[in-house]
Amino acid sequence: MTRGDWRTPKAPSRPALSQAAWSKILDKREARLAMAQTENQTGSQSQNAGFSGSMAFILAASGSAVGLGNIWKFPYVTGENGGGAFVLFYLMCILALGAPLMFAEIFIGKRGKAGPVDSFKNLGTKAAARAHPVGYIFILTAFVALSVYGVIGGWAVYYTSLALDNGFDGMTPEAASGTFGTLMDDFATMVLFQILFMAAITYVVAKGVSTGIERYTTILMPLFFMMLLGLTAYALTTSGAGMRSVSFMFNPDFTKLTPSAMAEALGHAFFSLSLGVGGMLVYGQYMPSSPSATPITRSVATIVVVDTLVALCAGLLIFSVIFGHGGEAAGGPGLLFMSLPVAFGEMTGGYYVAVLWFALVVVAALTSGISYLEIIVAHADRLGMGRAKAAVSLGVAITSVGFATVWSLGPGKDVIIFAGKNLFDTLDFFAFGVSLPLGGLVIAITVGWAVRREEYRAYLSELGEGTFNKVVFLTKYVTPVLIIMIMAYLIKTS
Ligand code: PFF
């Protein structure tokens, strides 16, 4: 491929069109396209073809973004990387890279309307169409990522059942790590809870977009926000360590901001916002068609703010509970499953807090898992497989691959697969460390360099000219350069 292919194609020789004129032309074309699509669908599919409006899209996309990344991973990586400075850098990544990339990814879905692969072919230029093979990387990554995500979702279900059983009452730190360690070595229990979790996701995706995903996310997400706000307020005010937690999260000590912490912050921003794997692309395709309906800009602003606030709330909550009970911030991946239960076991009202908390984790994980599965089902459905059949067979296949993950956490822990890593760490490295940045890179290059600028402008029409130019600049230059730096760093240090 020559370099010139990636350049923005020359403007056609007709006179330049105003932005309003472009929007009109695009609106009409989209309306025709939508009609043609509806005509091609059978009754039940057309009912399921998309979200009913802005609110449904925002809740589903927030459901995708808010997940284990926010409540499990963000607090523990913040704890490991020293708190405030990491949080500040993470917020910068979200603003400078995450938001522009989310514009770009949703644009591809909303404009392309054809799943993670074929949407690239509908962006109006040949150069953009050439990027479509990246869609297969999205599919593969979503498959692998969900096989791991499903296992951790299963832990959350298991811990909810322990909480319901009052299993944390009077738990010592030794007992807590014993419980977690026993779970890691108990193949059957882990698989059982993983299956429960995956069955719920498969059911919702099989039901369809409006009658499945929309219906469940619009119930689950508001419930989630209410529970999280209530719990955070309770923890901050009753733990006796609210202020310490606030200061840990927001008082930056820049000596702790190492290159590896920065790489981690950037990778985590992508993961947390469901970027670089087609999650936002696929939900974008279910937005109402015309560029002016369900504005991308307002939706992105809401999703980014919600996702960030949830991560910050989860951090404040976890650290105030942990500090309040003499625990350490750097508890690592076990922070949620080992340190918290001890604190719950000691605190007043701990039974209810523990049940609510783990239910919250399950809800967040479910709505994100649904989004992972939808990336693959959207493509399978296009190939004529039928949604329900695709969801069930893929759900079963992904769960089965997840068994290998379960094995690698217990008996296969010390079996090295690649570069000194066991299977779990190898999958983690490829699915999160390599694939997400690579996906983000292709999205940024495609939208920044290969899509007509006026066309992109029409989809982001509420942005002022200056802001739009900044978004394009970030997408064209800053995002690709930073992603390449991070990938080089990760590969060098792996
Ligand atoms: N954003 C989710 C989280 O923070 O847990 C993870 C995720 C879900 C990423 C779905 C991508 C995706 F398509």
Side-chain angles (χ1 to χ4, degrees), residues 140-165:
L140 188 69
T141 309
F143 191 103
V144 172
L146 183 54
S147 79
V148 176
Y149 210 83
V151 175
I152 304 175
W155 300 352
V157 181
Y158 175 71
Y159 270 73
T160 312
S161 73
L162 283 184
L164 278 167
D165 246 8

PDB file of all heavy atoms in Angstrom, residues 140-165:
ATOM      1  N   LEU A 140     -11.386 -11.336  17.031  1.00  0.00           N
ATOM      2  CA  LEU A 140     -10.524 -12.276  17.742  1.00  0.00           C
ATOM      3  C   LEU A 140     -10.226 -11.768  19.164  1.00  0.00           C
ATOM      4  O   LEU A 140     -10.282 -12.526  20.144  1.00  0.00           O
ATOM      5  CB  LEU A 140      -9.210 -12.443  16.960  1.00  0.00           C
ATOM      6  CG  LEU A 140      -8.301 -13.532  17.463  1.00  0.00           C
ATOM      7  CD1 LEU A 140      -8.941 -14.885  17.178  1.00  0.00           C
ATOM      8  CD2 LEU A 140      -6.925 -13.468  16.771  1.00  0.00           C
ATOM      9  N   THR A 141      -9.954 -10.470  19.261  1.00  0.00           N
ATOM     10  CA  THR A 141      -9.637  -9.904  20.580  1.00  0.00           C
ATOM     11  C   THR A 141     -10.842  -9.997  21.503  1.00  0.00           C
ATOM     12  O   THR A 141     -10.717 -10.356  22.686  1.00  0.00           O
ATOM     13  CB  THR A 141      -9.228  -8.421  20.442  1.00  0.00           C
ATOM     14  OG1 THR A 141      -8.225  -8.336  19.442  1.00  0.00           O
ATOM     15  CG2 THR A 141      -8.701  -7.872  21.754  1.00  0.00           C
ATOM     16  N   ALA A 142     -12.026  -9.662  20.962  1.00  0.00           N
ATOM     17  CA  ALA A 142     -13.231  -9.721  21.796  1.00  0.00           C
ATOM     18  C   ALA A 142     -13.448 -11.151  22.277  1.00  0.00           C
ATOM     19  O   ALA A 142     -13.822 -11.387  23.434  1.00  0.00           O
ATOM     20  CB  ALA A 142     -14.444  -9.222  21.009  1.00  0.00           C
ATOM     21  N   PHE A 143     -13.202 -12.109  21.387  1.00  0.00           N
ATOM     22  CA  PHE A 143     -13.376 -13.522  21.738  1.00  0.00           C
ATOM     23  C   PHE A 143     -12.470 -13.897  22.918  1.00  0.00           C
ATOM     24  O   PHE A 143     -12.929 -14.406  23.950  1.00  0.00           O
ATOM     25  CB  PHE A 143     -13.044 -14.383  20.501  1.00  0.00           C
ATOM     26  CG  PHE A 143     -13.425 -15.827  20.630  1.00  0.00           C
ATOM     27  CD1 PHE A 143     -14.554 -16.313  19.994  1.00  0.00           C
ATOM     28  CD2 PHE A 143     -12.669 -16.714  21.389  1.00  0.00           C
ATOM     29  CE1 PHE A 143     -14.922 -17.646  20.103  1.00  0.00           C
ATOM     30  CE2 PHE A 143     -13.022 -18.040  21.506  1.00  0.00           C
ATOM     31  CZ  PHE A 143     -14.154 -18.516  20.867  1.00  0.00           C
ATOM     32  N   VAL A 144     -11.183 -13.582  22.748  1.00  0.00           N
ATOM     33  CA  VAL A 144     -10.217 -13.944  23.790  1.00  0.00           C
ATOM     34  C   VAL A 144     -10.503 -13.153  25.080  1.00  0.00           C
ATOM     35  O   VAL A 144     -10.520 -13.696  26.186  1.00  0.00           O
ATOM     36  CB  VAL A 144      -8.771 -13.658  23.308  1.00  0.00           C
ATOM     37  CG1 VAL A 144      -7.781 -13.828  24.438  1.00  0.00           C
ATOM     38  CG2 VAL A 144      -8.430 -14.579  22.155  1.00  0.00           C
ATOM     39  N   ALA A 145     -10.753 -11.848  24.911  1.00  0.00           N
ATOM     40  CA  ALA A 145     -10.970 -11.006  26.086  1.00  0.00           C
ATOM     41  C   ALA A 145     -12.189 -11.498  26.878  1.00  0.00           C
ATOM     42  O   ALA A 145     -12.151 -11.576  28.106  1.00  0.00           O
ATOM     43  CB  ALA A 145     -11.163  -9.555  25.665  1.00  0.00           C
ATOM     44  N   LEU A 146     -13.257 -11.871  26.157  1.00  0.00           N
ATOM     45  CA  LEU A 146     -14.451 -12.321  26.875  1.00  0.00           C
ATOM     46  C   LEU A 146     -14.212 -13.670  27.556  1.00  0.00           C
ATOM     47  O   LEU A 146     -14.777 -13.944  28.622  1.00  0.00           O
ATOM     48  CB  LEU A 146     -15.663 -12.375  25.928  1.00  0.00           C
ATOM     49  CG  LEU A 146     -17.000 -12.763  26.568  1.00  0.00           C
ATOM     50  CD1 LEU A 146     -17.335 -11.864  27.756  1.00  0.00           C
ATOM     51  CD2 LEU A 146     -18.135 -12.695  25.549  1.00  0.00           C
ATOM     52  N   SER A 147     -13.333 -14.489  26.956  1.00  0.00           N
ATOM     53  CA  SER A 147     -13.064 -15.775  27.597  1.00  0.00           C
ATOM     54  C   SER A 147     -12.390 -15.549  28.963  1.00  0.00           C
ATOM     55  O   SER A 147     -12.577 -16.328  29.882  1.00  0.00           O
ATOM     56  CB  SER A 147     -12.229 -16.684  26.687  1.00  0.00           C
ATOM     57  OG  SER A 147     -10.877 -16.320  26.727  1.00  0.00           O
ATOM     58  N   VAL A 148     -11.627 -14.451  29.082  1.00  0.00           N
ATOM     59  CA  VAL A 148     -11.013 -14.132  30.376  1.00  0.00           C
ATOM     60  C   VAL A 148     -12.007 -13.356  31.264  1.00  0.00           C
ATOM     61  O   VAL A 148     -12.172 -13.629  32.450  1.00  0.00           O
ATOM     62  CB  VAL A 148      -9.730 -13.276  30.169  1.00  0.00           C
ATOM     63  CG1 VAL A 148      -9.145 -12.858  31.498  1.00  0.00           C
ATOM     64  CG2 VAL A 148      -8.707 -14.055  29.347  1.00  0.00           C
ATOM     65  N   TYR A 149     -12.675 -12.396  30.637  1.00  0.00           N
ATOM     66  CA  TYR A 149     -13.630 -11.539  31.359  1.00  0.00           C
ATOM     67  C   TYR A 149     -14.721 -12.387  32.028  1.00  0.00           C
ATOM     68  O   TYR A 149     -15.163 -12.118  33.135  1.00  0.00           O
ATOM     69  CB  TYR A 149     -14.270 -10.581  30.359  1.00  0.00           C
ATOM     70  CG  TYR A 149     -14.701  -9.239  30.907  1.00  0.00           C
ATOM     71  CD1 TYR A 149     -13.792  -8.203  31.052  1.00  0.00           C
ATOM     72  CD2 TYR A 149     -16.025  -8.989  31.247  1.00  0.00           C
ATOM     73  CE1 TYR A 149     -14.177  -6.957  31.523  1.00  0.00           C
ATOM     74  CE2 TYR A 149     -16.433  -7.750  31.721  1.00  0.00           C
ATOM     75  CZ  TYR A 149     -15.501  -6.739  31.850  1.00  0.00           C
ATOM     76  OH  TYR A 149     -15.900  -5.516  32.330  1.00  0.00           O
ATOM     77  N   GLY A 150     -15.136 -13.426  31.294  1.00  0.00           N
ATOM     78  CA  GLY A 150     -16.187 -14.306  31.815  1.00  0.00           C
ATOM     79  C   GLY A 150     -15.746 -15.022  33.089  1.00  0.00           C
ATOM     80  O   GLY A 150     -16.558 -15.263  33.992  1.00  0.00           O
ATOM     81  N   VAL A 151     -14.456 -15.348  33.157  1.00  0.00           N
ATOM     82  CA  VAL A 151     -13.948 -16.029  34.352  1.00  0.00           C
ATOM     83  C   VAL A 151     -13.982 -15.071  35.551  1.00  0.00           C
ATOM     84  O   VAL A 151     -14.452 -15.426  36.638  1.00  0.00           O
ATOM     85  CB  VAL A 151     -12.497 -16.534  34.113  1.00  0.00           C
ATOM     86  CG1 VAL A 151     -11.929 -17.135  35.382  1.00  0.00           C
ATOM     87  CG2 VAL A 151     -12.463 -17.543  32.975  1.00  0.00           C
ATOM     88  N   ILE A 152     -13.537 -13.847  35.314  1.00  0.00           N
ATOM     89  CA  ILE A 152     -13.513 -12.876  36.429  1.00  0.00           C
ATOM     90  C   ILE A 152     -14.945 -12.490  36.809  1.00  0.00           C
ATOM     91  O   ILE A 152     -15.265 -12.331  37.993  1.00  0.00           O
ATOM     92  CB  ILE A 152     -12.659 -11.654  36.063  1.00  0.00           C
ATOM     93  CG1 ILE A 152     -11.264 -12.155  35.676  1.00  0.00           C
ATOM     94  CG2 ILE A 152     -12.568 -10.677  37.228  1.00  0.00           C
ATOM     95  CD1 ILE A 152     -10.330 -11.108  35.168  1.00  0.00           C
ATOM     96  N   GLY A 153     -15.823 -12.383  35.806  1.00  0.00           N
ATOM     97  CA  GLY A 153     -17.243 -12.150  36.094  1.00  0.00           C
ATOM     98  C   GLY A 153     -17.778 -13.266  36.976  1.00  0.00           C
ATOM     99  O   GLY A 153     -18.565 -13.035  37.903  1.00  0.00           O
ATOM    100  N   GLY A 154     -17.325 -14.502  36.697  1.00  0.00           N
ATOM    101  CA  GLY A 154     -17.732 -15.644  37.508  1.00  0.00           C
ATOM    102  C   GLY A 154     -17.260 -15.491  38.960  1.00  0.00           C
ATOM    103  O   GLY A 154     -18.012 -15.808  39.891  1.00  0.00           O
ATOM    104  N   TRP A 155     -16.060 -14.969  39.165  1.00  0.00           N
ATOM    105  CA  TRP A 155     -15.597 -14.738  40.548  1.00  0.00           C
ATOM    106  C   TRP A 155     -16.551 -13.787  41.259  1.00  0.00           C
ATOM    107  O   TRP A 155     -16.867 -13.957  42.430  1.00  0.00           O
ATOM    108  CB  TRP A 155     -14.217 -14.072  40.601  1.00  0.00           C
ATOM    109  CG  TRP A 155     -13.081 -14.803  39.960  1.00  0.00           C
ATOM    110  CD1 TRP A 155     -13.095 -16.085  39.465  1.00  0.00           C
ATOM    111  CD2 TRP A 155     -11.766 -14.286  39.728  1.00  0.00           C
ATOM    112  NE1 TRP A 155     -11.862 -16.384  38.937  1.00  0.00           N
ATOM    113  CE2 TRP A 155     -11.027 -15.303  39.088  1.00  0.00           C
ATOM    114  CE3 TRP A 155     -11.133 -13.069  39.995  1.00  0.00           C
ATOM    115  CZ2 TRP A 155      -9.698 -15.140  38.708  1.00  0.00           C
ATOM    116  CZ3 TRP A 155      -9.814 -12.902  39.630  1.00  0.00           C
ATOM    117  CH2 TRP A 155      -9.106 -13.927  38.990  1.00  0.00           C
ATOM    118  N   ALA A 156     -16.980 -12.742  40.508  1.00  0.00           N
ATOM    119  CA  ALA A 156     -17.869 -11.753  41.129  1.00  0.00           C
ATOM    120  C   ALA A 156     -19.191 -12.413  41.539  1.00  0.00           C
ATOM    121  O   ALA A 156     -19.725 -12.134  42.623  1.00  0.00           O
ATOM    122  CB  ALA A 156     -18.111 -10.595  40.181  1.00  0.00           C
ATOM    123  N   VAL A 157     -19.695 -13.322  40.682  1.00  0.00           N
ATOM    124  CA  VAL A 157     -20.940 -14.016  41.034  1.00  0.00           C
ATOM    125  C   VAL A 157     -20.697 -14.886  42.278  1.00  0.00           C
ATOM    126  O   VAL A 157     -21.499 -14.903  43.218  1.00  0.00           O
ATOM    127  CB  VAL A 157     -21.446 -14.901  39.872  1.00  0.00           C
ATOM    128  CG1 VAL A 157     -22.747 -15.596  40.243  1.00  0.00           C
ATOM    129  CG2 VAL A 157     -21.638 -14.078  38.613  1.00  0.00           C
ATOM    130  N   TYR A 158     -19.559 -15.570  42.289  1.00  0.00           N
ATOM    131  CA  TYR A 158     -19.228 -16.437  43.429  1.00  0.00           C
ATOM    132  C   TYR A 158     -19.143 -15.610  44.725  1.00  0.00           C
ATOM    133  O   TYR A 158     -19.698 -15.985  45.759  1.00  0.00           O
ATOM    134  CB  TYR A 158     -17.888 -17.132  43.154  1.00  0.00           C
ATOM    135  CG  TYR A 158     -17.371 -17.962  44.298  1.00  0.00           C
ATOM    136  CD1 TYR A 158     -18.000 -19.164  44.642  1.00  0.00           C
ATOM    137  CD2 TYR A 158     -16.262 -17.546  45.042  1.00  0.00           C
ATOM    138  CE1 TYR A 158     -17.519 -19.922  45.702  1.00  0.00           C
ATOM    139  CE2 TYR A 158     -15.787 -18.310  46.102  1.00  0.00           C
ATOM    140  CZ  TYR A 158     -16.421 -19.499  46.431  1.00  0.00           C
ATOM    141  OH  TYR A 158     -15.964 -20.250  47.479  1.00  0.00           O
ATOM    142  N   TYR A 159     -18.489 -14.452  44.648  1.00  0.00           N
ATOM    143  CA  TYR A 159     -18.365 -13.619  45.850  1.00  0.00           C
ATOM    144  C   TYR A 159     -19.707 -13.031  46.276  1.00  0.00           C
ATOM    145  O   TYR A 159     -19.926 -12.789  47.459  1.00  0.00           O
ATOM    146  CB  TYR A 159     -17.301 -12.518  45.645  1.00  0.00           C
ATOM    147  CG  TYR A 159     -15.940 -13.018  46.074  1.00  0.00           C
ATOM    148  CD1 TYR A 159     -15.244 -13.940  45.302  1.00  0.00           C
ATOM    149  CD2 TYR A 159     -15.373 -12.625  47.293  1.00  0.00           C
ATOM    150  CE1 TYR A 159     -14.022 -14.442  45.704  1.00  0.00           C
ATOM    151  CE2 TYR A 159     -14.145 -13.129  47.708  1.00  0.00           C
ATOM    152  CZ  TYR A 159     -13.476 -14.033  46.909  1.00  0.00           C
ATOM    153  OH  TYR A 159     -12.275 -14.542  47.335  1.00  0.00           O
ATOM    154  N   THR A 160     -20.602 -12.811  45.308  1.00  0.00           N
ATOM    155  CA  THR A 160     -21.939 -12.347  45.692  1.00  0.00           C
ATOM    156  C   THR A 160     -22.621 -13.452  46.489  1.00  0.00           C
ATOM    157  O   THR A 160     -23.286 -13.189  47.512  1.00  0.00           O
ATOM    158  CB  THR A 160     -22.799 -12.019  44.449  1.00  0.00           C
ATOM    159  OG1 THR A 160     -22.034 -11.214  43.582  1.00  0.00           O
ATOM    160  CG2 THR A 160     -24.086 -11.305  44.813  1.00  0.00           C
ATOM    161  N   SER A 161     -22.443 -14.703  46.053  1.00  0.00           N
ATOM    162  CA  SER A 161     -23.088 -15.801  46.779  1.00  0.00           C
ATOM    163  C   SER A 161     -22.459 -15.945  48.181  1.00  0.00           C
ATOM    164  O   SER A 161     -23.159 -16.186  49.158  1.00  0.00           O
ATOM    165  CB  SER A 161     -23.015 -17.115  45.991  1.00  0.00           C
ATOM    166  OG  SER A 161     -21.699 -17.616  46.011  1.00  0.00           O
ATOM    167  N   LEU A 162     -21.129 -15.713  48.282  1.00  0.00           N
ATOM    168  CA  LEU A 162     -20.501 -15.756  49.617  1.00  0.00           C
ATOM    169  C   LEU A 162     -21.051 -14.646  50.514  1.00  0.00           C
ATOM    170  O   LEU A 162     -21.333 -14.854  51.694  1.00  0.00           O
ATOM    171  CB  LEU A 162     -18.987 -15.540  49.500  1.00  0.00           C
ATOM    172  CG  LEU A 162     -18.107 -16.689  49.023  1.00  0.00           C
ATOM    173  CD1 LEU A 162     -16.634 -16.281  49.092  1.00  0.00           C
ATOM    174  CD2 LEU A 162     -18.331 -17.922  49.889  1.00  0.00           C
ATOM    175  N   ALA A 163     -21.210 -13.452  49.915  1.00  0.00           N
ATOM    176  CA  ALA A 163     -21.704 -12.314  50.693  1.00  0.00           C
ATOM    177  C   ALA A 163     -23.121 -12.606  51.186  1.00  0.00           C
ATOM    178  O   ALA A 163     -23.454 -12.341  52.354  1.00  0.00           O
ATOM    179  CB  ALA A 163     -21.681 -11.050  49.845  1.00  0.00           C
ATOM    180  N   LEU A 164     -23.946 -13.176  50.306  1.00  0.00           N
ATOM    181  CA  LEU A 164     -25.321 -13.500  50.693  1.00  0.00           C
ATOM    182  C   LEU A 164     -25.347 -14.503  51.839  1.00  0.00           C
ATOM    183  O   LEU A 164     -26.228 -14.474  52.705  1.00  0.00           O
ATOM    184  CB  LEU A 164     -26.077 -14.088  49.493  1.00  0.00           C
ATOM    185  CG  LEU A 164     -26.645 -13.060  48.515  1.00  0.00           C
ATOM    186  CD1 LEU A 164     -27.089 -13.745  47.226  1.00  0.00           C
ATOM    187  CD2 LEU A 164     -27.810 -12.298  49.146  1.00  0.00           C
ATOM    188  N   ASP A 165     -24.343 -15.379  51.833  1.00  0.00           N
ATOM    189  CA  ASP A 165     -24.219 -16.410  52.867  1.00  0.00           C
ATOM    190  C   ASP A 165     -23.588 -15.889  54.153  1.00  0.00           C
ATOM    191  O   ASP A 165     -23.214 -16.676  55.021  1.00  0.00           O
ATOM    192  CB  ASP A 165     -23.281 -17.501  52.329  1.00  0.00           C
ATOM    193  CG  ASP A 165     -24.018 -18.783  52.132  1.00  0.00           C
ATOM    194  OD1 ASP A 165     -25.240 -18.752  52.270  1.00  0.00           O
ATOM    195  OD2 ASP A 165     -23.346 -19.810  51.854  1.00  0.00           O
TER     196      ASP A 165
END
